[in-house]
Amino acid sequence: MYEILEPGMLVRNPAQPDWGIGQVQSRIGEKVTVNFEHVGKQVIDGRRVSLELVFHDQG
C-alpha cells in the first residue's frame, strides 16, 4: 500500500494508535517519512508496516 503514498496524505499506524494521525512527508522506495501528532517524525518501512489512509471526514 505504501506505493500510493504521497506527501501531504494523512495516515495512521494501526499498530500504534497512540501516535495519532500523521502527514506523509516523503516516500523514497519503501521508506515513508511521516510526521505524527504525538510522536513527531518517524521513518516507516512500508514492507513491514501497513499504514491506513485517513480521509478528511474521518479525522
Side-chain angles (χ1 to χ4, degrees), residues 9-56:
M9 290 179 138
L10 298 177
V11 295
R12 101 176 12 111
N13 181 347
Q16 300 290 340
D18 56 319
W19 287 9
I21 294 173
Q23 184 179 49
V24 176
Q25 304 296 298
S26 66
R27 180 182 56 83
I28 301 173
E30 64 278 345
K31 302 291 184 189
V32 183
T33 302
V34 181
N35 190 18
F36 287 97
E37 290 177 297
H38 304 298
V39 294
K41 195 174 286 189
Q42 302 290 316
V43 178
I44 306 292
D45 184 340
R47 296 170 301 177
R48 297 174 185 244
V49 177
S50 292
L51 296 172
E52 295 177 343
L53 283 174
V54 174
F55 299 95
H56 291 288

